[in-house]
Amino acid sequence: MRKPTLLIHGGAWAMPDADIAAHENGISNALDAGWAVLERGGSAVDAVQAAITVMEDDEAFDAGRGSYLTRDGRVQLDALMMDGKSLNAGGVGCVERIKNPIQLARLVLDESPHVYFVGTGAERFAMQHGMRPCDNMDLVIPREQKRLYDAQAAGLGDTTFTGAPMAGPLDSHDTVGATALDADGNLASGTSTGGTLDKLPGRVGDSSLIGCGCYADNESAATSLTGWGEPIMKLVLGKWAVDRVAAGATPQQAAEAAIAHLHKRLGGHGGIIVMGPDGSLGLAHNTPRMAWGIASEGRREIGITRN
Ligand code: ASP
């Protein structure tokens, strides 16, 4: 029997001091929800789902309600969940009427021979399986409308449209993610995001793509990433990191190597969590701060790490 362990994150960026308490509070609530599942003998996938659902419901994070807005002022959400035992995965992209996309990702993982659904097809799948749709405006909050307005007034839209770098270490990356190991020795991971501020409608980032922002395999490791999605995707960085664990690196070595690779190869910025099949942990980021939490028997830690 393995020692159940949960490692979660709530984004990596230049989080201002004023936002720290809200992030710590959100991480704490998510950790409690996920750990409650593992503590009573629940599965890693259930623990990941429980933790991420709490962060999606918390407006402090760029996931679920309160996410960044697309260029046309809507919320479009991406999420992935992966089961390290079976390698089954469920991904959704560009959903606009689903309050908890991680729950839809779980539904895809459990109920569909397909791995990935996008847009209206994903929403139809959700409704066919009993999920209630919400209105997109239920996910939009005034703070984000102002943020979008300010960004567009400052000309961010023009630069992204021309393909110039959209984000650096100072830009907000509040994507949420979790990795878990259950008592049966199974790993799981999940990542959920509203993507990047002022993204063009239809843009999908790394978070919900298998092997990019999320991956889990009992034979290597589980991981979840956050940060500037385009470079992470190009490097298939989640799979890159777990492959290093399979090759003998510790999760901490793999996490540090992944972030170094991201920066050296493409100048990217972000953060990563990695959990090995024995519950050993790794975390690294090259952003000024990263929010995280760890729970296992007799251990409960919450941190906003500084670089
Ligand atoms: N990686 C996410 C994306 O590019 C953003 C984030 O982590 O905040 O969609």
Side-chain angles (χ1 to χ4, degrees):
M1 187 171 137
R2 292 288 187 188
K3 195 174 144 192
T5 307
L6 180 68
L7 170 60
I8 68 175
H9 74 79
W13 56 294
M15 187 185 300
D17 290 346
D19 286 5
I20 287 184
H23 282 74
E24 283 177 341
N25 184 49
I27 289 280
S28 175
N29 293 335
L31 207 55
D32 288 347
W35 178 244
V37 173
L38 292 177
E39 202 177 24
R40 61 170 185 263
S43 68
V45 277
D46 284 345
V48 164
Q49 180 176 331
I52 291 181
T53 295
V54 168
M55 292 189 280
E56 286 177 339
D57 287 341
D58 187 329
E59 292 175 12
F61 301 102
D62 175 32
R65 181 176 154 84
S67 288
Y68 301 139
L69 302 181
T70 61
R71 180 157 302 177
D72 56 5
R74 296 174 72 79
V75 165
Q76 278 193 343
L77 302 171
D78 308 331
L80 182 81
M81 179 171 300
M82 190 156 182
D83 175 356
K85 181 184 179 194
S86 59
L87 299 191
N88 285 341
V92 295
C94 297
V95 293
E96 295 194 348
R97 296 195 298 148
I98 302 294
K99 187 171 154 279
N100 291 109
I102 199 69
Q103 294 181 5
L104 179 52
R106 176 65 188 278
L107 204 57
V108 175
L109 188 157
D110 285 341
E111 303 290 340
S112 176
H114 301 313
V115 168
Y116 208 89
F117 285 91
V118 298
T120 52
E123 292 168 2
R124 196 176 319 138
F125 181 85
M127 285 164 230
Q128 282 164 351
H129 288 80
M131 282 183 89
R132 287 214 349 238
C134 66
D135 194 285
N136 191 255
M137 285 312 289
D138 295 342
L139 305 173
V140 175
I141 64 172
R143 178 193 73 202
E144 294 308 322
Q145 288 177 313
K146 179 174 184 318
R147 198 197 301 269
L148 180 68
Y149 178 83
D150 290 348
Q152 291 181 340
L156 175 67
D158 296 338
T159 55
T160 59
F161 193 73
T162 56
M166 296 199 308
L170 302 182
D171 293 296
S172 172
H173 294 292
D174 270 333
T175 291
V176 304
T179 57
L181 173 71
D182 62 30
D184 292 332
N186 293 317
L187 288 170
S189 62
T191 306
S192 180
T193 190
T196 46
L197 175 62
D198 195 40
K199 67 184 180 181
L200 293 179
R203 177 262 188 191
V204 175
D206 62 304
S207 307
S208 64
L209 300 182
I210 289 193
C212 298
C214 182
Y215 200 76
D217 183 349
N218 284 0
E219 295 186 7
S220 53
T223 189
S224 172
L225 291 94
T226 178
W228 180 14
E230 278 71 10
I232 294 171
M233 264 190 264
K234 290 173 190 169
L235 296 171
V236 197
L237 199 59
K239 184 68 164 59
W240 190 97
V242 303
D243 283 350
R244 259 134 203 94
V245 178
T250 64
Q252 183 59 33
Q253 288 166 342
E256 287 172 15
I259 294 302
H261 182 50
L262 174 67
H263 194 255
K264 185 161 178 257
R265 187 69 182 89
L266 291 174
H269 290 92
I272 183 171
I273 57 173
V274 183
M275 180 182 287
D278 59 353
S280 54
L281 306 176
L283 179 146
H285 60 106
N286 62 355
T287 51
R289 281 178 165 150
M290 181 166 181
W292 53 268
I294 298 169
S296 60
E297 206 180 306
R299 181 178 186 191
R300 189 179 191 282
E301 285 174 49
I302 289 167
I304 309 277
T305 317
R306 245 182 199 285
N307 260 336

